[in-house]
Amino acid sequence: MTSSTDLGFVHRFVPGAADGPVLLLLHGTGGDESDLLPLGELLVPGAPRLSPRGKVLENGMPRFFRRLAEGVFDQEDLHRRAHELADFVDAAGRAYNFGGRKPIAVGFSNGANIAAAMLLLRPGTLGGALLIRAMVPFVPETMPSLHGEPVQVQAGEVDPLVPRSQAEALAELLRDAGANVTLRWIVGGHALTRSDVDAAKEWFGFSSLSRPAGQPQ
Ligand code: MLT
């Protein structure tokens, strides 16, 4: 395991299998680079795992971009930070030898929102994304082409922070951009549950089987 402040982000990298997916783990508000490492190992045992810490502090809690209020994002900061994170992912791919594989983001809440922003702003960066409790980060002026990239949105049926309409709109937006989107409703609120893990494991199994041969991951 490498813990580092290189490449512009405090992060941890756990090396793993030379084939199969590389995971990019993106924590929620108040989390850090260690939070989702165990989840990544549960979802795809043995996969390389890259986990950065968000650079914005909100009352001491790390986040990936600024917000003005709950669910109201500082768009200028969000755009800038999404590009910055995409640059970090590209640089990490070279530094840690991903062998051309594009990481699959596993993001929770604020981490899922920045992953969605990266899909929309930097469509070449990720090979897919699991977005747990995500919202629409913004509607892009120019729609990117996501070329059938696998995306799963996992939404809580009674999430007090993310209205059902937001999860539905995000799935629709990513579908319009050409991603292969599934929207999974999880019995629960904003917190990550065992059902999330089960749904995510199922999706990872399916998306790796359904990915066309030769397509970068
Ligand atoms: C959070 O608590 O992190 C929000 O629900 C999502 C965000 O602000 O990005």
Side-chain angles (χ1 to χ4, degrees), residues 28-29 58 63 65 67 69-73 108-111 113-114 133 135 161-162 190:
T29 301
E58 184 186 273
R63 286 176 52 86
F65 58 88
R67 65 179 162 183
E70 179 63 58
V72 184
F73 304 147
F108 171 66
S109 191
N110 180 245
N113 292 339
I114 192 105
R133 311 298 186 268
M135 308 170 72
L161 302 182
V162 182
H190 198 68

Side-chain angles (χ1 to χ4, degrees), residues 72-202:
V72 184
F73 304 147
D74 177 333
Q75 287 296 333
E76 197 192 322
D77 190 63
L78 168 56
H79 280 65
R80 184 166 71 80
R81 304 262 178 206
H83 281 296
E84 188 183 40
L85 187 60
D87 290 341
F88 163 76
V89 172
D90 290 343
R94 291 188 293 275
Y96 296 123
N97 263 322
F98 294 170
R101 289 174 289 174
K102 292 180 187 171
I104 310 291
V106 174
F108 171 66
S109 191
N110 180 245
N113 292 339
I114 192 105
M118 272 198 291
L119 285 172
L120 295 169
L121 282 178
R122 293 282 290 268
T125 305
L126 299 173
L130 173 65
L131 306 174
I132 304 172
R133 311 298 186 268
M135 308 170 72
V136 176
F138 55 83
V139 176
E141 278 168 27
T142 314
M143 202 58 109
S145 292
L146 292 171
H147 303 292
E149 243 175 68
V151 174
Q152 177 147 286
V153 177
Q154 288 186 191
E157 280 184 355
V158 289
D159 188 334
L161 302 182
V162 182
R164 291 176 70 98
S165 58
Q166 272 289 314
E168 281 160 0
L170 177 62
E172 205 48 48
L173 178 63
L174 294 170
R175 235 172 243 140
D176 287 350
N180 178 7
V181 183
T182 46
L183 172 57
R184 283 290 298 261
W185 289 102
I186 303 293
V187 177
H190 198 68
L192 189 73
T193 68
R194 181 72 225 184
S195 308
D196 280 294
V197 177
D198 292 344
K201 276 173 121 166
E202 210 177 282

